[in-house]
Amino acid sequence: MRKLKTLLTIAAVALTATFTSCVDEESALGIGLEDTTLLYNGQTDTLYADQAWTEFEDSLLTSNYSYGIIGNYSDNVFGKVSSVLYTQIALSANSTNISFGDELVIDSVVLSLTKSALFPDTGGVYNFHFEVKQLAEALAKDSLYYASSTLPVDENAVFFDDDVRVSMGDTIISLRLNPSFYPVIHRTATAEEFIEQTKGLRIRITDAGDAGMVSIDFSSATTCLRTYYHYTEGSSTSTGFYTFLMGAGTSHFTHFEHNYSGTVFASGNKVTGSFRLYLEPLGGQQIRMSFDRDLQAFHAAHPWAVIHHAEIILPLAPETPTLLPDQIITLGREGDSTDAYINDLIDLYTLSGYDGSYHEDGNYYRIRATQHVQGLLRQGNDPGFLFVLNSRRHSAQRAIFNGLGTTNRPRIILVYSE
């Protein structure tokens, strides 16, 4: 550990405003130009991690989130990942029943998915091979579904099986379902009966087309199933459409499947963090880390220290992908087996500046953990941190970090007084 005096670089009035402000401490403008430790008056010290490893995230809840992802992708580091969407079909929010009489003729049915992102080439053009099948059983209304969850499908009920061109400029992906789907929704039923009778859909991108992934906005009103129809009354013919819900307003979940053959994760065991550490979304890899050795030594030397600022620095490895995740979420170990958001992350929602984002000037992710580190010093030890990706349910961006045996290794920078 090293120690040095930090110069007082701001006036007392400005310093007081820094600690009491209820707004975000920084904006995107100039985010990499200031050294945050210079905003505080005190001494600095650095704690280095003494334990770290990468492990599987094996219990990721995916049901009923606002965003999801479908498709397939592979690389030499993380192997192959596939994502599949399972969703109910439901009546519109203000409908308690539906009655498609014999006089009503369905002309077409279009399944629409609202695109929010493409991966890995965000500006590319993909020929995705979409497949839509009917579920063999309905999603359970009150059940939780995880990344490992699946449901059986009716292999004879194939409603779409074709290539679709998707590009950066597209906002809606439209799949025109074949007429074999019409009897599924041409019925009279209550809202609850309709969900049970139609069962739902499995939507996926197969390997028959381009490899890639597309993120879907389930909360958008344009993620839906729209039925166009006509009916005849006497000598006149009228047309109309009905919009069924998918995503928002229905039960839905995504299933992720990984193939780690030929990678460092193939054994299924945790991967030691002496050289590299890995964060992978979609139920992939997460990082555990502890600073216990240096934290106890600091506590012994400074038992009455007041932490003004603490930030975790996670330097990226040279070979990390260029398309990086938006934010890292940090949890702390409570007791023997419980992980909970650190206090600084909870305050993210009160705009206190948790950060957790990438900083290009130092090629690292920075995480503010002042309150959490102060709590660790009160108890005198560090049970460990857990790092996961904030957008891991709907974004395929991943990252590789330097391990504990590298020169530019993970660390916590403290500013304190006593």
Side-chain angles (χ1 to χ4, degrees):
M1 294 185 288
R2 57 185 174 81
K3 184 183 302 181
L4 54 90
K5 275 287 189 179
T6 302
L7 295 176
L8 178 59
T9 59
I10 54 178
V13 173
L15 180 62
T16 302
T18 301
F19 286 116
T20 60
S21 175
C22 293
V23 298
D24 202 347
E25 293 179 9
E26 65 181 16
S27 68
L29 183 62
I31 193 171
L33 302 181
E34 67 175 2
D35 181 352
T36 56
T37 63
L38 298 181
L39 297 176
Y40 302 88
N41 181 29
Q43 302 178 83
T44 65
D45 208 337
T46 302
L47 313 181
Y48 291 100
D50 57 277
Q51 293 186 66
W53 65 86
T54 303
E55 65 182 23
F56 292 100
E57 184 176 13
D58 56 4
S59 58
L60 180 64
L61 184 69
T62 64
S63 52
N64 303 331
Y65 280 85
S66 297
Y67 288 85
I69 189 169
I70 54 177
N72 311 280
Y73 180 72
S74 63
D75 65 26
N76 294 332
V77 176
F78 293 95
K80 181 178 180 180
V81 61
S82 299
S83 179
V84 179
L85 167 62
Y86 294 81
T87 181
Q88 291 176 332
I89 309 167
L91 305 186
S92 59
N94 58 354
S95 297
T96 58
N97 59 75
I98 192 169
S99 181
F100 276 10
D102 293 338
E103 72 281 0
L104 187 147
V105 178
I106 295 178
D107 298 313
S108 63
V109 177
V110 177
L111 188 160
S112 297
L113 302 172
T114 307
K115 177 183 73 66
S116 63
L118 285 170
F119 181 85
D121 184 357
T122 56
V125 177
Y126 295 84
N127 287 310
F128 288 134
H129 191 96
F130 280 87
E131 176 194 84
V132 180
K133 291 185 177 181
Q134 187 176 22
L135 300 180
E137 62 183 53
L139 279 74
K141 181 179 180 180
D142 299 322
S143 293
L144 298 177
Y145 293 94
Y146 293 84
S148 58
S149 302
T150 61
L151 289 173
V153 296
D154 183 346
E155 295 295 346
N156 296 315
V158 183
F159 305 132
F160 191 90
D161 188 12
D162 205 353
D163 289 341
V164 178
R165 183 182 181 276
V166 180
S167 67
M168 177 183 64
D170 295 324
T171 57
I172 306 293
I173 301 171
S174 297
L175 311 179
R176 187 178 179 124
L177 305 187
N178 62 53
S180 67
F181 178 73
Y182 299 173
V184 174
I185 55 173
H186 196 296
R187 61 182 68 244
T188 298
T190 66
E192 293 77 13
E193 290 170 344
F194 185 84
I195 288 174
E196 287 298 319
Q197 292 168 7
T198 57
K199 297 183 175 60
L201 302 173
R202 185 188 74 181
I203 306 168
R204 66 173 184 160
I205 296 173
T206 74
D207 289 329
D210 291 342
M213 310 193 86
V214 56
S215 298
I216 305 298
D217 182 357
F218 295 137
S219 65
S220 171
T222 52
T223 296
C224 63
L225 188 74
R226 180 160 288 182
T227 300
Y228 298 88
Y229 59 82
H230 74 271
Y231 58 93
T232 302
E233 290 182 322
S235 59
S236 64
T237 299
S238 300
T239 62
F241 65 85
Y242 186 94
T243 301
F244 295 95
L245 301 181
M246 291 192 324
T250 70
S251 293
H252 59 275
F253 71 94
T254 43
H255 166 71
F256 305 132
E257 188 165 332
H258 294 264
N259 183 345
Y260 289 115
S261 299
T263 73
V264 296
F265 314 109
S267 68
N269 301 320
K270 65 182 183 183
V271 177
T272 179
S274 58
F275 180 61
R276 291 290 185 260
L277 292 158
Y278 306 87
L279 280 182
E280 183 194 19
L282 314 184
Q285 305 294 326
Q286 59 188 15
I287 295 172
R288 289 198 181 272
M289 188 179 299
S290 173
F291 296 83
D292 191 53
R293 179 194 59 205
D294 280 8
L295 186 134
Q296 288 198 38
F298 178 87
H299 180 61
H302 311 281
W304 309 111
V306 175
I307 305 300
H308 301 302
H309 180 76
E311 60 184 40
I312 305 170
I313 301 296
L314 299 179
L316 286 167
E319 71 274 19
T320 198
T322 55
L323 191 61
L324 292 169
D326 62 344
Q327 188 181 50
I328 295 176
I329 295 298
T330 309
L331 297 86
R333 177 58 60 96
E334 295 184 349
D336 295 331
S337 59
T338 303
D339 297 304
Y341 294 130
I342 64 172
N343 290 334
D344 305 82
L345 174 58
I346 295 173
D347 283 348
L348 168 67
Y349 304 105
T350 63
L351 303 180
S352 69
Y354 161 81
D355 200 351
S357 57
Y358 172 65
H359 291 259
E360 185 176 8
D361 59 314
N363 195 33
Y364 56 64
Y365 278 77
R366 183 184 70 188
I367 299 158
R368 293 176 179 171
T370 307
Q371 296 181 56
H372 187 72
V373 171
Q374 183 72 78
L376 295 180
L377 289 171
R378 289 193 192 101
Q379 71 185 33
N381 72 305
D382 174 21
F385 289 83
L386 172 64
F387 300 103
V388 297
L389 295 175
N390 185 33
S391 55
R392 63 197 185 281
R393 294 177 179 87
H394 67 268
S395 177
Q397 280 91 328
R398 61 282 307 275
I400 306 171
F401 301 89
N402 287 339
L404 307 191
T406 61
T407 301
N408 186 18
R409 59 194 187 273
R411 56 195 180 271
I412 298 177
I413 298 176
L414 303 177
V415 180
Y416 69 97
S417 61
E418 55 185 338

